[in-house]
Amino acid sequence: MKTTAKAEGNENVTFVTFGFMIKTVIVENEQLQVDILTRMLAEHHPEIVVLAICPTILEAVEKINLHLPHLVFLDINLDEDGGGFQVLEFTKSVNYEVIFTTSYSDYAIRAIKFSALDFLLRPFGEDDLNEALKKYSNIRTNGSKRNIEALLHNVRQTDASMQKVGIPVLGGLDFITISEIILCKSENNCTDFHLTNKRRIMATKTLKWVDELMRDHHFFRVHDSYLINLNHIKKYKKGGEGGVVELTDQKEADVARRRKDDFLKALADLKMIANR
């Protein structure tokens, strides 16, 4: 069956769909970016039916609540810095997946990564779009409500240690508060999270991936096998090649000799020890 649909606000764009149609809303206030995205979708993803193109927060909220889309492409910096997040706040009753688009906002990108949501960094190409849509296809039956709730929590949260991070585990995601993470230990191609109150979870990601995710939140990789939360340090003592860090809940981690100086510098920069 062949179906055509025109997007509101852009009468020159026609989308042809076959079989399952993915109802989509694009929230974007730059016409050039609209043209690029709609062209890519029309040429390579006929299953995507764009029902509305919204240049403002108010219009985006209205159209999402009206059309109940499966998917929303959302410009983070709509109207003002971080304005796109307001769209999420006012459409929480609608169960849709979201792919963010942005040009530069480091803060927003970190928030999105923490919530295990997807984004397209402009300028993006067809491969980037294909990858984002592939991820959407894999999770569309489950919805992103928990992810979006975590994102909004983090955006509102002024204390970075109380933000939540989505950790991939077998069967889905566990959202945990950063302050609850004591240390992360490499286990083959997975990561063992040691949390407060003797809790543990196994993440289906490498320690390198976790390190990159947590880099701006006072975590330090003291050893190839250990990433520690500096806010949980109780004592640094002799032992091993570069010393041993004693953490809360009686956890310990060896410090590699080659990481010792950088580790001590990190502590000094945070005013946790006197400058050496």
Side-chain angles (χ1 to χ4, degrees):
M1 178 178 177
K2 184 176 180 179
T3 306
T4 61
K6 287 184 180 294
E8 295 179 24
N10 198 325
E11 295 298 322
N12 296 321
V13 180
T14 301
F15 298 88
V16 183
T17 63
F18 300 88
F20 178 76
M21 297 187 302
I22 301 172
K23 297 190 299 181
T24 302
V25 170
I26 295 175
V27 183
E28 173 62 70
N29 59 4
E30 295 184 24
Q31 188 59 44
L32 176 61
Q33 300 302 327
V34 170
D35 293 342
I36 291 172
L37 179 56
T38 53
R39 176 184 57 78
M40 289 184 184
L41 292 174
E43 291 179 357
H44 303 286
H45 297 279
E47 73 280 10
I48 302 288
V49 180
V50 179
L51 300 176
I53 295 172
C54 309
T56 67
I57 293 172
L58 185 61
E59 187 173 351
V61 172
E62 176 189 349
K63 297 304 182 186
I64 291 172
N65 285 319
L66 172 65
H67 292 299
L68 306 179
H70 303 113
L71 176 64
V72 173
F73 287 92
L74 178 58
D75 178 11
I76 296 171
N77 300 311
L78 189 72
D79 291 350
E80 58 189 38
D81 196 29
F85 293 136
Q86 295 181 44
V87 174
L88 300 178
E89 288 278 10
F90 291 109
T91 59
K92 287 189 288 189
S93 63
V94 183
N95 189 23
Y96 59 84
E97 301 292 341
V98 59
I99 297 175
F100 293 93
T101 60
T102 182
S103 296
Y104 50 83
S105 178
D106 288 342
Y107 165 75
I109 290 174
R110 285 198 300 271
I112 291 165
K113 285 183 175 179
F114 259 54
S115 306
L117 290 161
D118 205 7
F119 68 94
L120 289 167
L121 183 63
R122 296 195 290 249
F124 57 84
E126 292 172 2
D127 288 345
D128 302 309
L129 178 60
N130 291 342
E131 187 62 29
L133 289 173
K134 186 186 300 182
K135 291 179 183 177
Y136 160 75
S137 179
N138 290 336
I139 64 173
R140 69 186 179 199
T141 56
N142 299 321
S144 290
K145 297 300 289 184
R146 290 178 66 229
N147 306 58
I148 292 175
E149 288 169 3
L151 173 62
L152 293 175
H153 167 85
N154 289 346
V155 169
R156 293 189 293 258
Q157 184 59 251
T158 56
D159 182 353
S161 69
M162 297 306 294
Q163 291 185 353
K164 293 183 178 181
V165 57
I167 302 299
V169 296
L170 287 176
L173 291 166
D174 273 356
F175 284 92
I176 55 179
T177 305
I178 294 174
S179 62
E180 297 176 345
I181 304 171
I182 299 174
L183 68 87
C184 305
K185 182 179 180 182
S186 176
E187 294 287 350
N188 298 319
N189 288 322
C190 296
T191 301
D192 188 9
F193 278 71
H194 294 247
L195 310 175
T196 55
N197 297 322
K198 309 296 184 181
R199 293 171 298 144
R200 291 169 66 174
I201 62 171
M202 184 66 72
T204 56
K205 291 288 186 179
T206 65
L207 189 61
K208 179 182 178 182
W209 182 90
V210 177
D211 184 16
E212 291 173 352
L213 182 68
M214 308 300 295
R215 188 159 292 169
D216 296 324
H217 287 77
H218 296 173
F219 281 70
F220 191 89
R221 192 165 181 177
V222 293
H223 190 281
D224 285 347
S225 298
Y226 294 105
L227 177 73
I228 67 170
N229 186 341
L230 298 179
N231 291 319
H232 278 285
I233 291 179
K234 292 180 64 178
K235 185 184 296 184
Y236 175 56
K237 57 189 180 182
K238 293 181 179 179
E241 295 182 350
V244 175
V245 179
E246 184 180 318
L247 303 156
T248 54
D249 279 4
Q250 299 180 325
K251 300 287 189 275
E252 289 190 346
D254 291 333
V255 179
R257 181 185 294 120
R258 62 188 176 87
R259 299 178 190 262
K260 177 180 176 179
D261 289 344
D262 288 340
F263 170 58
L264 293 175
K265 182 179 184 302
L267 295 180
D269 290 344
L270 292 173
K271 311 298 183 186
M272 297 179 71
I273 63 172
N275 285 317
R276 300 169 69 236

